[in-house]
Structures are given as C-alpha cells and as structure tokens.
Amino acid sequence: MAGGGIVEGGGTRAHLYEGRTTSFVTIACIVAASGGLIFGYDIGISGGVTSMDDFLVKFFPVVEHHKNQSTKDQDYCKYDNQKLTAFTSSLYLAGLVASFGASFVTRRFGRRPSILFGGFSFLIGAALNAAAVNLPMLILGRIMLGVGVGFGNQAVPLYLSEMAPAKLRGGLNIMFQLAITIGILAANLINYGTAKIKPWGWRLSLGLAAVPAALMFVGGLFLPETPNSLIERGHLEKGRALLVKVRGTTNVDAEFEDMVDASKKANEVKHPFRNILKKRNRPQLVMATFLPFFQQLTGINAIMFYAPVLFKTIGFGGDASLYSAVITGAVNVLATFISIFTVDRLGRRVLFLEAGVQMFIAQVVIGIILGEKFGGSKQLSKGFAVFVVIVICIYVAGFAWSWGPLGWLVPSEIFPLETRSAGQKTKNIPIEEMINVWRKHWFWKQIIPATDLYNGDEKSDWQFPSKEFAENQTVQLSGSGFNKEHI
C-alpha cells in the first residue's frame, strides 16, 4: 500500500478469529463481483461504438465527416467534438453524483439495496441507449448507466470486503476488478462482431449491456446482507447467525464482539460525511481520495475506452483496430489473475510500487514513439504500430495487477465502520481492527491517537493524549499488542 511502512498484521484480536472460506461466502462474492461487469462492459463497448460509422452518422455526423477526411492535420482532433464529449463524460459525471446517494443508501438500508438499485438503473440505461432515436435520449441512457455504475462501484467492493475472511479478503475483493476486465473483453469481442452488422450493429452492442445489468439485479435478489451491515443497523441476532453461516463455525465470538463494538461507535455518528473530515480520520481520507484519483490519472480509461479509435488512428484498419482492442482486453483479464493470487501474499504496497514503475516506463515509450513517428505528415509503419500495441499490453498488464484492483480494494478496507460507507480494512487485518494499522504507521501515528477518547459527540474530535497519560495507559494498551514505543 502506498504511504510506506504499513504493517501487514497486528490486529488486537485477529488471532482469535476462526472460520474458513465457505462455499456460501464464495458464491455470494462471485454474485456480488458480477456488478463489476456493468462498469467493464460500458468501458469496452463505448469506445468500439464510437468508432462505428453508422453510430457516428446517426448522432455525430460532424465527427464522422472529420474521421473520413484524408488530411493529415486531423490525426489528433478527428474525435474532438463537444457533443461526443457529452456522450462519453455524462456517465462518469452521473456516477460521481450518484455515489453520494449510494453512500446514504448503503449505510442506512444496507449494501444489498444499493447493488439492486445499481443493476436496475443500468438496465434502464441499456434499454434507452439501444432504442435511442436522438442525442438527448442517448445521453439520458448514459446518465442512467452512470447512476448504476455509481451505486454498484460504491456498494460492491464494500460488500466483498465485509463478507470475505481477512486472510483472503484481497483475492476475493479483486474479483470485482476481474469482473470489470471480463466485461471489457466481452465488450471488445461483441464490438468486433456487431461492427459487421449494418446499419444497426451499434444498437446491439449498447443493448447487450442489459445482460450484465440483469445478472447484477437478479443475483442481488439472492444475496444476503453482510453481517457488518446487519449489526450496524441493530439486527444483532441476525448478524451473528449470518456470521456463523459465512465463517462455517459457531466460534465467532471475537469477530462478532469486534463488529458490535465498531457498530456502537458507528451509530454514535449521525453524519459520516462530516465525521470523515475530522482529524482522526485524516489518514484514511487521504488514502481513499488519492488512490482512486491517481487510479484515473494513470490513463487506463483513455486506453481501454478509446483503444479501437487509437489503433485505427495509428494505422490499423477497422477490423484490425477492434482485434487489437480484444488483445489488450485479454491481457487485462489474465493479468488480473496474477493480482488475485499474489495480493494476500505480497501485500498491496509491493504491487503498487512495481507496477507503477512498469506503467510509467511504458507510457514514456508510447509517448516518444507517437511524438517522433506519428502526426502531421508522418504515419506509423506497421512495425512501429505493432510495437505500440505490445507496449500498451505491458502497460495494461501492470495496471491490471496493481492500480486496477487495488484502487477498489484498499479504500474499501481502511475505514472504520462509522465512516466506511462514506469513504467509499488491509492484508490479513480484520477490518474492525484496521485503526491499529494506522496507529503503528511511522507517519500516521502522529495523527491517529493511541487510544480511543471519542465521547460520542459528533461535534467533538479525538484528543491527543499527553505522554504522561499514554504511559499510564501502558498496561491497558499492552493487551492490545502496543507499548510506549508506538506512541
């Protein structure tokens, strides 16, 4: 994990947690992770559709005209169009706004209702896009897709983190990112086929988004709520019974008691968005803000969204560009499996650092090639074009085993229960005890207090203990695995 030095163990009662990875929790996580299909499918499908002439003629004739011009000075601006930008960006803007409503629903009513609403909204959006007769209808469909993505992306990673046992939480949570990559690959394959269906192939591409949406909605009907959510909303007996079923053992006292303790603190906070801004939550807020921020700044959406357009622009024909996009999509899926099998062994931080260097080098190489060999009167040779595809695959692979899955995983892990829904815990750390990781970190321990002094008043904040007070608490803290050196 970024930030350096976060310990990979050391909760107060983690060693008392018992249980195994039951078929019940595995199936529940698979169904929930299918929510990632809707996001991945949209990323993959939109880029391919915007490269289809029939779609452009219908909604963006100016772009179609520029696209088919032979003048070399149009290489970098053929797709520069405000209406097309509105089409592509409306989903992400809607998703951003919807995530705030999703946080409220997720906390007040549970994780499952958010998953259901996300699937239903995406289903409506797919129908509107497939039947669109004008640009407003097309954009309205994109907005509904964005609402579905906002709810799904907020609730699903959180659901997975709470259902999975601590020792396997990383791998199971990354199934969400795996579903995203599968959605992208499926979309690329569908675009490759529908591009040959004139003149309505684009409608089929957009309409098939209903398939992952239906999987998410119907699957959500059979999902249980998470034990954390049930306990947080006062259903203690139901939460304990589900925890027993999920862990496959009746000896869940330690984990259940930690959930109840965390729930008491959570229920004392009426306004998690206000509470999340307080000093004691600053480390989690910084990480949960900057990780998704830099995940997007890696440029992966531009690569995956515009892959067919990019490959077509640098010299591949229509079929070849879609085929190249399929290749990058396949690399994305396969590399995600590497993350699944290594994240709980190597830890989050190792993957972040290695892949960051790999992706940076790949982007520099791509930038140099395109800057020196492409644009104006220059065209890429076939050899350079193939090399660009290879380097893009190296870049995509690095993202797929690091920033892609971990950008969803880490923010869903690091918050205490009281602000967890607003913030959307790590390796082998029960999420109820994640606060202790921050207390041990070489930098964040200066901000996080060594003991809980929260009095339940949402307007008050944690107070820094004096050294004398901390020394007096040594005996009490030693039971939690801490000593004066951690203060």
Side-chain angles (χ1 to χ4, degrees):
M1 177 175 172
I6 283 187
V7 293
E8 300 287 2
T12 59
R13 292 196 289 186
H15 63 285
L16 299 178
Y17 288 16
E18 293 188 12
R20 55 188 174 84
T21 306
T22 61
S23 58
F24 181 86
V25 71
T26 301
I27 294 173
C29 288
I30 290 174
V31 173
S34 66
L37 289 173
I38 66 173
F39 189 31
Y41 186 87
D42 181 79
I43 292 174
I45 214 69
S46 300
V49 164
T50 53
S51 69
M52 297 181 186
D53 289 338
D54 294 326
F55 176 78
L56 294 177
V57 169
K58 177 71 175 177
F59 298 105
F60 310 101
V62 175
V63 176
E64 195 275 337
H65 174 71
H66 287 163
K67 174 186 170 184
N68 293 319
Q69 281 185 333
S70 59
T71 55
K72 305 303 181 185
D73 60 344
Q74 295 289 328
D75 285 332
Y76 291 111
C77 57
K78 290 179 179 179
Y79 291 87
D80 184 11
N81 180 270
Q82 291 185 353
K83 292 182 179 179
L84 182 60
T85 300
F87 166 73
T88 56
S89 62
S90 56
L91 180 144
Y92 301 101
L93 180 60
L96 173 64
V97 175
S99 65
F100 292 98
S103 176
F104 173 81
V105 173
T106 300
R107 183 172 188 257
R108 181 65 61 87
F109 302 104
R111 290 44 165 159
R112 182 171 169 266
S114 287
I115 294 175
L116 287 171
F117 185 80
F120 180 75
S121 178
F122 203 89
L123 194 61
I124 298 299
L128 287 173
N129 275 351
V133 295
N134 52 45
L135 186 58
M137 186 174 179
L138 188 70
I139 293 180
L140 178 60
R142 291 284 291 179
I143 291 174
M144 294 302 296
L145 293 176
V147 172
V149 168
F151 271 79
N153 287 1
Q154 204 278 341
V156 170
L158 179 58
Y159 183 94
L160 293 171
S161 289
E162 292 184 340
M163 288 292 283
K167 63 181 180 179
L168 294 176
R169 189 176 62 247
L172 289 177
N173 192 289
I174 289 175
M175 291 178 66
F176 178 70
Q177 175 65 19
L178 177 62
I180 292 178
T181 64
I182 293 174
I184 294 173
L185 178 59
N188 289 332
L189 291 170
I190 289 171
N191 280 335
Y192 184 75
T194 57
K196 303 178 185 302
I197 304 176
K198 307 290 184 178
W200 53 270
W202 61 269
R203 292 190 184 275
L204 183 58
S205 288
L206 295 177
L208 286 176
V211 175
L215 287 175
M216 180 176 173
F217 180 77
V218 175
L221 294 174
F222 296 94
L223 283 179
E225 191 52 83
T226 68
N228 308 67
S229 179
L230 289 171
I231 294 171
E232 182 183 13
R233 291 181 288 125
H235 306 296
L236 300 185
E237 293 303 320
K238 290 182 179 179
R240 182 184 176 86
L242 181 59
L243 186 61
V244 168
K245 190 173 184 180
V246 167
R247 297 293 179 250
T249 178
T250 58
N251 191 8
V252 295
D253 291 344
E255 187 172 4
F256 177 73
E257 289 171 9
D258 281 347
M259 289 183 180
V260 172
D261 290 342
S263 176
K264 289 179 180 178
K265 292 181 181 179
N267 288 329
E268 291 173 345
V269 179
K270 296 181 180 179
H271 303 287
F273 276 106
R274 184 188 304 171
N275 195 60
I276 202 175
L277 298 175
K278 294 187 177 181
K279 195 169 187 177
R280 67 178 180 274
N281 291 320
R282 193 166 297 166
Q284 301 96 313
L285 180 62
V286 169
M287 291 297 175
T289 299
F290 281 99
L291 284 178
F293 177 78
F294 286 112
Q295 182 195 53
Q296 300 307 306
L297 285 187
T298 60
I300 188 63
N301 281 344
I303 293 293
M304 302 307 296
F305 191 97
Y306 291 109
V309 174
L310 172 64
F311 293 136
K312 195 169 185 178
T313 301
I314 63 177
F316 291 94
D319 288 348
S321 66
L322 290 174
Y323 187 68
S324 299
V326 170
I327 293 176
T328 59
V331 170
N332 198 16
V333 172
L334 294 176
T336 304
F337 280 103
I338 295 177
S339 185
I340 291 176
F341 292 116
T342 60
V343 67
D344 289 311
R345 297 179 181 178
L346 300 179
R348 283 67 163 156
R349 186 169 180 262
V350 171
L351 295 178
F352 268 130
L353 294 176
E354 182 282 327
V357 174
Q358 177 177 327
M359 294 163 65
F360 175 78
I361 294 174
Q363 286 179 316
V364 170
V365 172
I366 293 172
I368 292 175
I369 293 176
L370 295 183
E372 293 295 324
K373 302 294 183 179
F374 181 71
S377 60
K378 296 179 291 186
Q379 289 289 305
L380 282 182
S381 65
K382 183 177 180 180
F384 272 112
V386 171
F387 183 67
V388 167
V389 173
I390 294 174
V391 178
I392 287 178
C393 287
I394 294 174
Y395 165 83
V396 169
F399 179 87
W401 65 54
S402 65
W403 282 92
L406 301 184
W408 304 109
L409 170 62
V410 174
S412 70
E413 295 179 310
I414 60 178
F415 283 93
L417 188 60
E418 65 189 66
T419 55
R420 194 177 302 158
S421 63
Q424 321 238 125
K425 266 170 174 292
T426 60
K427 175 189 171 189
N428 293 334
I429 305 290
I431 50 181
E432 284 68 40
E433 300 183 359
M434 189 59 200
I435 188 65
N436 295 324
V437 175
W438 299 103
R439 287 171 176 161
K440 285 186 176 182
H441 188 265
W442 67 271
F443 176 78
W444 295 116
K445 69 180 181 181
Q446 303 174 65
I447 297 177
I448 295 291
T451 186
D452 295 355
L453 300 179
Y454 186 52
N455 63 10
D457 181 0
E458 61 186 349
K459 294 184 180 179
S460 19
D461 210 338
W462 299 83
Q463 302 295 323
F464 282 100
S466 65
K467 185 174 182 62
E468 292 75 19
F469 177 85
E471 290 175 347
N472 290 334
Q473 301 300 313
T474 300
V475 176
Q476 179 179 348
L477 289 173
S478 64
S480 299
F482 291 90
N483 52 46
K484 289 185 290 185
E485 284 70 25
H486 293 112
I487 307 292

